[in-house]
Amino acid sequence: MSESTSAAVSGEDEVVGLCSELIRIDTSNYGDHSGPGERAAAEYVAEKLAEVGLEPQIFESHQGRASTVARIEGEDRSRPALLIHGHLDVVPANADDWTRHPFSGEVADDCVWGRGAVDMKDMDAMTLAVVRDRLRSGRKPPRDVVLAFLADEEAGGTYGAKYLVDRHPGLFEGVTEAIGEVGGFSFTVNENLRLYLIETAEKGMHWMRLTVDGTAGHGSMTNRDNAITELCEAVGRLGRHEFPVRVTKSVRGFLDELSDAFGVELDPEDMEATLAKLGGIARMIGTTLRNTAAPTMLGAGYKVNVIPGQATAHVDGRFLPGHEEEFLADLDRILGPRVKRETLHSDKALETDFDGALVDAMQAALKAEDPIARAVPYMLSGGTDAKSFDDLGIRCFGFAPLQLPPELDFAGMFHGVDERVPVDGLRFGVRVLDRFLDHC
Ligand SMILES: [Zn+2]
């Protein structure tokens, strides 16, 4: 294709095709190296960036596990840089459960279908589309922008973001702020107000194994030191425990905006009444008000007439920013002295203020494309690659703008069956990101 022909293609024209093509590259992440890896997707992205004059680099952390990074020179190179990051891997999908094949990237019913359509090949495609459009038409961003398309987010980022931050921190030199998942999507309140949820905080995670050692013996004998009995009592106490409500600044900001939007008083201490007033958005709030600890696995025994000497359980713990120590102290108090608690994996919580020039640029870009838009802060109950970039002192926001039809169950799309993204939402996202880059 000649230069003049390609110059006529806009980001809005390209985004759907880019999203489809990315979905068709299966990057399922099984949490080990048994999947196809991200190499093909990383090469695809690199090719799309090289076509418009960038010099992308591909970093392979393990065979087939690859990320692509490129830097766009801005107008004012003395200013700190902005990072735009997206992950290339997806969680696996079982095709039998889906209406359309999860790796088809099919466009139907005004949506792009497939695994990754919202998590997060949509944002990868939007980023590519906007950057290609801007570079084809010679529109530099006001400052340097680093683009990172990453492996392994769905398994904690060890072979993606964490690898690059640890081994190649120079790629992010001068970067002070970042945008990525999971934020920027819309929640329509009424015909006069549409909220766009910008992620400003993430809960931390603490995965643990609990062990009780007891006295092994014959199942017919009296045994007052049964490991299973002791462990199950402790796990039961923990699973039923309601951790105290702790309202962090992001959640406070979110609740204040909701109070305003719905014209009701919201009392985080009275969750039942609060959730009843909010309807569909309530699901987003519940777990961001308190620490949680969910028992997820149990193990003990090998024969019905043998009391085992040991019993174990696994627990998925999540804590609020600023409340990790309180969480661990609560755990030990609830579990009691018989239970040994080991940390299997932990990652930090994040929280930043919802203010500053970058937030203003998000607000303005959304408002310009949607007159009833209002950007509000919120806390994600899960984790993203932002945790790794925070290690470099980068202030991270979830901002992958999407305007969604009110009836779409967006939260249910993440890792869900029939994951799909509206074509209009993608095109809206391209326009918003383009405006945002004008003023970032
Ligand atoms: Zn994701």
Side-chain angles (χ1 to χ4, degrees):
M1 187 185 290
S2 74
E3 285 299 309
S4 56
T5 316
S6 65
V9 180
S10 76
E12 274 194 83
D13 295 334
E14 265 199 334
V15 67
V16 170
L18 290 166
C19 188
S20 284
E21 285 174 18
L22 279 167
I23 289 169
R24 281 203 284 275
I25 306 172
D26 181 356
T27 51
S28 295
N29 186 347
Y30 295 89
D32 50 28
H33 301 304
S34 66
E38 301 86 355
R39 178 90 206 184
E43 284 176 0
Y44 173 86
V45 167
E47 189 188 306
K48 295 293 169 193
L49 296 174
E51 273 175 17
V52 290
L54 293 177
E55 292 171 9
Q57 289 177 276
I58 294 177
F59 295 87
E60 203 169 67
S61 54
H62 187 276
Q63 197 181 0
R65 309 304 304 274
S67 303
T68 298
V69 181
R71 186 179 279 254
I72 307 170
E73 287 188 10
E75 295 284 356
D76 181 356
R77 302 213 68 200
S78 69
R79 282 184 60 199
L82 172 74
L83 169 67
I84 304 179
H85 61 97
H87 60 83
L88 293 171
D89 62 323
V90 295
V91 292
N94 179 10
D96 294 341
D97 302 333
W98 286 55
T99 310
R100 297 170 196 281
H101 196 282
F103 300 103
S104 67
E106 206 177 326
V107 182
D109 305 332
D110 304 317
C111 287
V112 183
W113 292 64
R115 179 56 88 220
V118 305
D119 185 15
M120 62 173 293
K121 287 175 169 170
D122 55 340
M123 177 61 172
D124 295 334
M126 279 155 34
T127 304
L128 282 177
V130 169
V131 164
R132 283 164 59 84
D133 190 335
R134 295 183 68 97
L135 292 178
R136 276 192 300 249
S137 51
R139 292 181 296 135
K140 278 187 177 186
R143 53 169 160 159
D144 275 19
V145 173
V146 176
L147 305 173
F149 298 86
L150 301 155
D152 200 34
E153 191 276 340
E154 296 292 359
T158 305
Y159 295 93
K162 278 194 169 68
Y163 172 83
L164 292 180
V165 163
D166 291 345
R167 306 283 285 275
H168 302 280
L171 292 170
F172 308 103
E173 201 182 316
V175 174
T176 55
E177 295 170 315
I179 62 167
E181 60 173 349
V182 176
F185 51 90
S186 68
F187 176 82
T188 303
V189 177
N190 55 43
E191 67 270 26
N192 300 315
L193 181 63
R194 195 156 22 239
L195 302 178
Y196 288 81
L197 278 59
I198 313 295
E199 194 217 287
T200 53
E202 292 185 3
K203 281 178 98 172
M205 61 172 77
H206 196 99
W207 292 346
M208 65 203 104
R209 176 169 46 228
L210 309 179
T211 306
V212 170
D213 289 307
T215 305
H218 197 288
S220 69
M221 304 288 183
T222 303
N223 186 331
R224 306 227 178 274
D225 188 33
N226 185 320
I228 294 181
T229 309
E230 292 291 335
L231 180 83
C232 286
E233 283 181 354
V235 167
R237 285 195 300 277
L238 185 60
R240 275 190 296 273
H241 184 72
E242 286 255 298
F243 288 86
V245 169
R246 300 281 183 247
V247 184
T248 69
K249 62 187 172 189
S250 300
V251 174
R252 167 59 62 203
F254 187 46
L255 290 175
D256 286 349
E257 293 281 357
L258 288 183
S259 283
D260 243 36
F262 287 82
V264 292
E265 278 295 310
L266 297 179
D267 178 7
E269 295 293 342
D270 186 1
M271 277 313 296
E272 240 164 86
T274 295
L275 297 183
K277 287 174 190 166
L278 294 179
I281 205 167
R283 274 200 301 161
M284 308 266 330
I285 308 168
T287 59
T288 63
L289 284 169
R290 45 168 56 107
N291 298 328
T292 60
T296 47
M297 293 164 70
L298 272 179
Y302 53 91
K303 195 164 186 295
V304 67
N305 61 349
V306 179
I307 296 170
Q310 191 176 73
T312 61
H314 287 73
V315 175
D316 182 353
R318 307 286 173 139
F319 57 89
L320 297 167
H323 294 278
E324 185 172 15
E325 276 179 33
E326 179 191 30
F327 181 56
L328 298 180
D330 280 353
L331 285 177
D332 288 336
R333 186 173 45 74
I334 296 158
L335 293 170
R338 283 300 310 276
V339 179
K340 186 175 81 173
R341 174 173 64 77
E342 292 164 273
T343 302
L344 298 179
H345 175 71
S346 70
D347 215 338
K348 64 170 95 170
L350 302 179
E351 187 155 54
T352 188
D353 290 318
F354 187 61
D355 62 11
L358 200 70
V359 169
D360 293 345
M362 295 176 200
Q363 291 268 25
L366 287 166
K367 193 91 186 164
E369 290 298 332
D370 180 0
I372 62 166
R374 180 148 139 197
V376 299
Y378 92 103
M379 182 190 297
L380 180 69
S381 59
T384 72
D385 282 335
K387 293 191 196 304
S388 299
F389 294 117
D390 181 80
D391 288 347
L392 295 175
I394 297 172
R395 191 178 171 211
C396 295
F397 295 91
F399 183 61
L402 273 185
Q403 190 183 92
L404 300 168
E407 66 280 2
L408 186 77
D409 174 19
F410 187 61
M413 291 279 143
F414 283 78
H415 303 187
V417 167
D418 286 344
E419 184 179 344
R420 61 195 184 278
V421 64
V423 165
D424 286 346
L426 287 174
R427 295 172 70 100
F428 171 85
V430 166
R431 296 194 303 274
V432 172
L433 280 178
D434 201 4
R435 288 180 185 274
F436 169 75
L437 281 181
D438 280 338
H439 302 286
C440 70

